[in-house]
Structures are given as C-alpha cells and as structure tokens.
Amino acid sequence: FCLLILINGTNFIDGLNGLLISSIIIILFTLTRLNLIDNSIISDQSINLIMFILVLLLLLNILNVLMLGDSGAYLLGFFIGFLIINSHRNNPDISPYFFISLIWYPCFENLFSILRKLNRDFSPLKPDSKHLHQLVLFFLTKKFDLKLILSNNLSSGIICFFNFLIIHISTLNPGSTIFQVKLITISIIFYIVIYMILFKFYKSSLMFKK
C-alpha cells in the first residue's frame, strides 16, 4: 500500500519539468552519502551511472525536450521505493521515519490530494489542476508575468530547494525517531499553510478574471 502511494505520488509531482528527477537524484545522493544502499543489491558504480543518466535526463527535461511520462514516473517511483525498503531492512539502527522523511513530499502530495478531493465531494480517481506544484506555477506565472517554461522551471527549482533542505535536516539525526517525526510534522504543516495561501491566490485570481 505504501509503495503504491509512493509510485502514484511520483507520478503526481511529475507535472513540472525536473521536479521528479531532481527529487530522485536528491534521495539517491542522500542514501549513497550515508552508505545505506546494499552493494549486494546494486553496486556503487551502478548507482553512479544511474545518477549520471538522471542528470542528463534532467537537463533534457528542463529544456522541455524530453518527458518522463507515466511509465517513467512509475519506474522511478518503484525503483526508489525498492531501494528504501531494502535500506530500511539492512539498517535497523536507522529510524524508519528517516526513510519516510526522504519520500514525504510525493507521498503526502498523493494523500493530501485524496483527502482534498473527498472533502470537496470530488472523486479521488479523477485528475485536477490543484496540486501544490501547479498552484506554485500558477502563482509565479500570474504574479510576475513570466513565460510558462521559465515559471515551470522556477517552480520546480523552488520546491526542490525546500525539499532538499528538509532531507538534509533529516540526515543530521537519522537514528532518532522523535527528531524525524517532528521534522515530518513541521514539513506537513508548512506544506498545508503554503497550499492554503496559494489556493486563496488562485481563487481570487479567478474571481478577478470573471
């Protein structure tokens, strides 16, 4: 169930150029830096090769030349989920909530979307354009009158930067469950507050347009 949430969440955040690929690179880099990947499952050379390929794909994605699509997003979601499950099993001294901190953003994006749609009597199975990254894109485009490709890449960069900060902070004390739970809670509260602000801007812009 959790793996499905992650896989679907990775597909959700693939709505902006570079957002998903950058998130995967950050997670892989963190796992590698902390030496949490089992070399009997996948070697360091293979991880480095995958990261190199992802960087190339990131550049093409940012330039709007290549898109991952559903298949690419599902594949990356399954791959990173498999690595995290394996890393958790082989490192019992690391808090399980540390691994949740690594993937909190795509997972919460999915869960929040389901709850948000249910609250509005809208089917969770139907897509909409009110995810956080889409609201960030809308805000930058309308507020600063930016071109779509520029606001797209800028939105992705802003979200990745804050997600990187959260993941970096999680590495300061990976063995403490209390520390990780507090970090995840703060991250979720921050997400919800930002979402409410951006959604209010979205609604007011539509009303002004009418």
Side-chain angles (χ1 to χ4, degrees):
F1 175 73
C2 294
L3 188 58
L4 287 175
I5 289 177
L6 172 61
I7 292 173
N8 200 39
T10 55
N11 190 41
F12 273 20
I13 68 172
D14 191 36
L16 294 181
N17 291 347
L19 182 55
L20 173 57
I21 300 178
S22 297
S23 299
I24 297 297
I25 291 174
I26 293 170
I27 295 171
L28 282 177
F29 174 77
T30 302
L31 291 173
T32 303
R33 185 169 67 88
L34 297 180
N35 197 28
L36 296 178
I37 298 178
D38 186 0
N39 288 334
S40 65
I41 299 296
I42 185 169
S43 65
D44 292 337
Q45 292 79 5
S46 297
I47 289 294
N48 291 334
L49 177 60
I50 291 172
M51 291 182 66
F52 176 73
I53 293 174
L54 287 176
V55 170
L56 293 180
L57 293 177
L58 176 62
L59 294 176
L60 294 174
N61 195 208
I62 289 176
L63 295 174
N64 214 30
V65 175
L66 177 142
M67 302 296 168
L68 288 175
D70 290 345
S71 298
Y74 292 148
L75 178 62
L76 287 179
F78 178 81
F79 173 68
I80 205 67
F82 170 78
L83 282 185
I84 286 178
I85 290 172
N86 186 263
S87 298
H88 168 54
R89 292 180 60 188
N90 294 323
N91 297 276
D93 54 322
I94 301 294
S95 170
Y97 289 91
F98 165 74
F99 296 104
I100 295 177
S101 296
L102 296 180
I103 56 174
W104 81 274
Y105 170 54
C107 291
F108 187 72
E109 181 79 75
N110 189 6
L111 289 173
F112 185 75
S113 175
I114 293 173
L115 295 175
R116 172 171 53 80
K117 292 174 183 177
L118 289 175
N119 184 55
R120 298 176 181 275
D121 295 324
F122 188 76
S123 174
L125 301 178
K126 293 183 178 180
D128 68 355
S129 58
K130 298 180 180 65
H131 299 297
L132 177 65
H133 60 273
Q134 293 168 321
L135 293 181
V136 173
L137 174 63
F138 181 85
F139 174 80
L140 292 178
T141 304
K142 293 294 183 180
K143 189 72 173 179
F144 301 102
D145 195 26
L146 300 176
K147 293 183 178 179
L148 184 59
I149 185 65
L150 178 58
S151 58
N152 190 309
N153 292 332
L154 183 58
S155 301
S156 179
I158 292 173
I159 295 174
C160 282
F161 174 73
F162 281 103
N163 195 34
F164 171 77
L165 286 180
I166 293 168
I167 292 177
H168 174 69
I169 294 172
S170 73
T171 64
L172 299 179
N173 196 354
S176 172
T177 293
I178 295 178
F179 180 84
Q180 299 299 328
V181 170
K182 287 181 179 179
L183 178 61
I184 294 170
T185 303
I186 293 172
S187 302
I188 290 175
I189 293 174
F190 181 75
Y191 177 105
I192 294 174
V193 170
I194 295 299
Y195 185 93
M196 291 175 63
I197 294 173
L198 293 177
F199 187 70
K200 183 178 180 180
F201 176 84
Y202 173 82
K203 288 175 58 178
S204 63
S205 297
L206 293 183
M207 292 178 62
F208 179 78
K209 185 177 181 180
K210 290 179 182 180

